[in-house]
Amino acid sequence: MDGFKIDHIAIAVPSITDAAATFELLTGHTCSPVEELPDQGVNVAFVGSLELIEPRGPATSVARFIDRRGAGLHHIAFRVPDLSEALAKYRDSGVRLIDEEPRPGGRGHRVAFLHPKSTGGVLVELVQE
Ligand code: ZN
């Protein structure tokens, strides 16, 4: 079996509108329309394989992340063929899950997050192909 490939890398920013031009310049891609994910407390947009995430309010986890650490690298996402199977495998291997069940993510995908305590200090998202 081939290993999982990186689906995207996410960067937390205070404002997608303010940050878009910088990442368009860096990547040569055009920023997608902003998608609202109220369940996750964020809005997201994609610039090539970068996901820009902005908090929808001051009490959201991404707002707290930016308060604590400033804007910057937030998570990496791997593309998996079967999210439920991947979650079961990681759970059985003792990996701490943030999401026990898949939830709706950006671009209409199902996603789930793993706890950074179990993944080398990096927040990891799984995205179903
Ligand atoms: Zn993501």
Side-chain angles (χ1 to χ4, degrees):
M1 177 191 142
D2 286 342
F4 301 147
K5 294 209 165 48
I6 289 180
D7 183 79
H8 63 268
I9 294 170
I11 297 169
V13 298
S15 160
I16 289 172
T17 305
D18 292 349
T22 299
F23 291 100
E24 286 180 337
L25 178 68
L26 278 171
T27 65
H29 289 273
T30 302
C31 190
S32 74
V34 174
E35 259 181 272
E36 301 188 351
L37 298 175
D39 289 354
Q40 297 187 34
V42 296
N43 299 327
V44 305
F46 286 85
V47 188
S49 49
L50 298 181
E51 179 185 41
L52 304 180
I53 55 178
E54 73 179 5
R56 288 175 60 86
T60 59
S61 66
V62 173
R64 289 195 301 273
F65 175 94
I66 293 172
D67 284 347
R68 271 200 322 270
R69 309 160 67 152
L73 187 60
H74 185 264
H75 65 266
I76 61 175
F78 293 103
R79 198 177 309 152
V80 301
D82 184 323
L83 188 48
S84 299
E85 187 183 297
L87 283 175
K89 184 183 79 177
Y90 291 134
R91 188 187 296 115
D92 291 349
S93 304
V95 172
R96 236 169 104 186
L97 310 181
I98 292 176
D99 297 306
E100 292 290 332
E101 299 295 333
R103 56 164 144 158
R107 298 182 291 191
H109 292 304
R110 296 189 332 137
V111 306
F113 284 87
L114 309 179
H115 199 285
K117 284 231 157 59
S118 294
T119 52
V122 179
L123 179 62
V124 171
E125 178 183 20
L126 306 174
V127 179
Q128 183 156 322
E129 286 171 347

